[in-house]
Amino acid sequence: MYKNKIVRILISIFVFTLFLNVDLIVSQNSIYQSFTENSNEKILPPPILPNMILEEAIFMRKSVRVFSENEVTDEELSTILWAAYGFRSDGRRTVHPIDGVYAAVIYVFNESGVYRYNPINHSLILYKEGDMRDKIDILQYNAPIQLGLCWDSTKADPNLGGAELGQVGQNIHFMAVALGLGTVVTGQSPAAIAPVGLPKNEEGLILMPLGHPKDDYDFTYRPLWFSFLPKIKHSKITVSDAINQRLNGTEFLGKLTRQELSQIIWSSYGFSYYIDNILGPSNLVLRHRTVPSAHGYYPLCMYICIESGVYKYIGGLPNCDLWGLPIFSFLLRLNAEDVRQSIAQACNKSEISTASMFIVSILDLEATRKWDDLSNESLWRFWYYEAGASAHNVQLEATAWNLSSTILVPKDVSLIRSSLNLDNRYFPLLVVPVGKN
Ligand SMILES: Cc1cc2nc3c(=O)[nH]c(=O)nc-3n(C[C@H](O)[C@H](O)[C@H](O)COP(=O)(O)O)c2cc1C
């Protein structure tokens, strides 16, 4: 009798384990071997996982708008989609769930139809048959693939949807660079993807064309001329591993070194050490930043809160430069107060007050009113996109230095404003505590 019982228990454990394998995607092999194709679902091949070093991918991030006709292979698309929103080998996702929510949905447009990316089994599910790339948005850039980034409005509001998609878009950017592909974030309101007819609970935000750049990447290495912060170093981690191993934590100890501070702060909003030669032999110098920005406005200010005080990050001074080169990068000390406890309290997370550093992304509304006024609250989702992209960079860069971090939404905006001495012109978007585990 006992023997039978043991056999029954063993069989139950076996069946349960099989179920877990399918449901939680415990190992990468199980992703691809547990499912068979049916006519509406195409299982993607395993991602390629390129070995470009993380900082190199950040240095090379740029918007590519003109593409060759060379096709994007299934392996390349698989890699991009895995990085964008897939499951990692430990069963977690490649981006952080802000407020514990995953709301993103990705649509893939190619010459044969529109597909929905299914991260659970890393597949594409047919959504609409036929080439619809011309139906979406008159402003789109022609490319073999268009990626439609949407969010489920029953799970997240437009701003948090935007912040999550900012993380997704960064991974697409970095993986594209590592694979020799190109992409650009494009955002319109109303959403460019709308003509496709999304389910009622989904809203579109971003369209990213994906293909091989018509012009090769062509950069010259020229570090910032002068910086009060230690020079940015290449870590040893690849962009694939940084995404696969992104450290998340809410309990912190110890202090960061100056090098670690410099690396992480730079990743949030700094300039590349590469000059883009795409402008040819002109006097103009093009240097990209670590994140893209709608209209190139870059209206965020990164406030750095550490034990010794509150600082504003100046990634470069484009108006005080030589041939367009940002030559200074430094931390501008605003006061000598340790406000980390107040910032943690404003996020309803007093347990994180021991983090060595908080990076608070602040939207400067004046900087969103230039040749086109993008200050309206209905457009803030695009600024949250940028803040999400920046926060994700910080998480990846922190991982490269074996540090952990998390992404929080301020619950008490007034407390953040009073702690940082800001008036109503400024609005805090996201808070990223960083520290040692
Ligand atoms: C939310 C968002 C929306 C954007 N929308 C567009 C767009 O509609 N068309 C476009 O060509 N670029 C768009 N961009 C890209 C920016 O123009 C670009 O990031 C900026 O000019 C800096 O150039 P770089 O990315 O090459 O460094 C967008 C970027 C973001 C973050």
Side-chain angles (χ1 to χ4, degrees):
M1 202 174 106
Y2 272 359
K3 214 170 149 193
N4 276 350
K5 206 171 172 188
I6 289 169
V7 170
R8 270 210 315 276
I9 290 172
L10 284 176
I11 290 175
S12 310
I13 291 173
F14 178 68
V15 170
F16 183 65
T17 313
L18 270 185
F19 171 76
L20 270 186
N21 265 344
V22 171
D23 204 39
L24 297 179
I25 318 295
V26 171
S27 78
Q28 285 203 0
N29 282 343
S30 66
I31 297 177
Y32 309 107
Q33 289 164 7
S34 306
F35 292 80
T36 52
E37 283 191 35
N38 69 40
S39 57
N40 286 334
E41 187 173 28
K42 179 179 170 170
I43 306 288
L44 289 159
I48 303 166
L49 306 185
N51 55 14
M52 179 180 275
I53 294 296
L54 174 66
E55 290 76 12
E56 189 67 5
I58 302 180
F59 279 161
M60 289 178 68
R61 187 217 63 81
K62 63 178 267 186
S63 299
V64 173
R65 297 183 175 85
V66 188
F67 303 91
S68 76
E69 281 173 7
N70 292 346
E71 67 159 20
V72 174
T73 64
D74 282 355
E75 286 75 16
E76 288 167 339
L77 180 61
S78 155
T79 308
I80 295 282
L81 290 171
W82 170 79
Y85 209 50
F87 280 92
R88 317 187 316 184
S89 43
D90 61 1
R92 292 165 197 254
R93 303 292 277 263
T94 55
V95 298
H96 179 72
I98 301 176
D99 270 358
V101 170
Y102 281 115
V105 182
I106 303 178
Y107 288 88
V108 178
F109 293 71
N110 66 14
E111 74 285 351
S112 62
V114 184
Y115 303 83
R116 222 178 122 98
Y117 175 53
N118 178 9
I120 303 283
N121 60 346
H122 197 53
S123 70
L124 291 179
I125 297 171
L126 181 65
Y127 185 66
K128 290 212 170 147
E129 242 169 325
D131 190 349
M132 295 192 73
R133 288 171 298 176
D134 284 348
K135 305 259 179 319
I136 41 173
D137 172 43
I138 43 165
L139 292 173
Q140 69 167 307
Y141 303 105
N142 286 331
I145 304 273
Q146 300 281 345
L147 299 172
L149 309 191
C150 308
W151 85 97
D152 184 332
S153 53
T154 60
K155 293 184 180 162
D157 68 27
N159 293 339
L160 294 196
E164 187 183 342
L165 293 177
Q167 302 179 66
V168 169
Q170 271 320 80
N171 279 354
I172 295 175
H173 255 304
F174 296 147
M175 265 312 175
V177 163
L179 293 168
L181 298 170
T183 188
V184 55
V185 174
T186 71
Q188 286 84 33
S189 184
I193 197 177
V196 160
L198 293 177
K200 275 204 180 93
N201 59 323
E202 289 175 18
E203 283 195 49
L205 187 74
I206 300 292
L207 209 58
M208 295 180 79
L210 179 73
H212 292 266
K214 189 123 194 289
D215 299 308
D216 290 342
Y217 286 97
D218 180 10
F219 293 111
T220 303
Y221 178 72
R222 207 183 296 165
L224 301 178
W225 284 32
F226 190 74
S227 173
F228 291 116
L229 291 161
K231 192 173 166 186
I232 299 307
K233 289 184 182 167
H234 280 66
S235 64
K236 299 215 164 30
I237 201 168
T238 64
V239 65
S240 315
D241 284 345
I243 293 172
N244 199 33
Q245 295 160 20
R246 178 180 42 81
L247 295 171
N248 209 74
T250 47
E251 282 173 29
F252 305 102
L253 294 165
K255 279 190 181 176
L256 305 188
T257 63
R258 264 174 65 74
Q259 186 68 44
E260 289 166 344
L261 277 176
S262 175
Q263 298 278 149
I264 291 162
I265 295 168
W266 159 78
S267 74
S268 73
Y269 219 51
F271 283 89
S272 172
Y273 278 15
Y274 283 152
I275 286 174
D276 191 341
N277 296 321
I278 199 148
L279 299 179
S282 69
N283 283 333
L284 292 173
V285 173
L286 181 59
R287 201 191 272 274
H288 301 279
R289 287 172 91 144
T290 56
V291 294
S293 179
H295 282 14
Y297 278 3
Y298 291 102
L300 305 189
C301 309
M302 296 300 154
Y303 277 66
I304 313 299
C305 309
I306 48 181
E307 193 179 10
S308 62
V310 177
Y311 300 78
K312 190 172 175 178
Y313 174 49
I314 311 293
L317 286 180
N319 298 327
C320 173
D321 56 12
L322 203 55
W323 304 312
L325 287 171
I327 54 169
F328 290 113
S329 113
F330 58 96
L331 293 182
L332 181 69
R333 193 181 202 175
L334 302 177
N335 65 48
E337 281 169 48
D338 184 357
V339 299
R340 290 175 299 165
Q341 206 152 4
S342 310
I343 302 291
Q345 200 187 324
C347 298
N348 283 353
K349 290 253 178 223
S350 45
E351 69 272 20
I352 57 161
S353 60
T354 52
S356 303
M357 164 170 69
F358 286 83
I359 302 186
V360 187
S361 51
I362 304 283
L363 177 63
D364 174 0
L365 284 165
E366 276 310 307
T368 63
R369 295 187 192 107
K370 295 185 184 168
W371 47 274
D372 195 6
D373 187 345
L374 299 182
S375 62
N376 191 292
E377 230 173 306
S378 67
L379 300 176
W380 283 20
R381 59 193 73 181
F382 294 115
W383 306 127
Y384 272 94
Y385 178 99
E386 195 171 318
S390 159
H392 184 66
N393 279 11
V394 168
Q395 287 221 288
L396 295 183
E397 191 60 28
T399 302
W401 298 88
N402 208 18
L403 300 167
S404 61
S405 59
T406 191
I407 305 177
L408 301 170
V409 185
K411 305 293 178 211
D412 185 343
V413 167
S414 312
L415 182 54
I416 301 244
R417 279 199 179 118
S418 60
S419 310
L420 303 181
N421 205 8
L422 299 170
D423 60 29
N424 288 351
R425 166 179 163 176
Y426 300 96
F427 193 91
L429 301 184
L430 297 175
V431 172
V432 186
V434 184
K436 292 191 198 314
N437 261 327

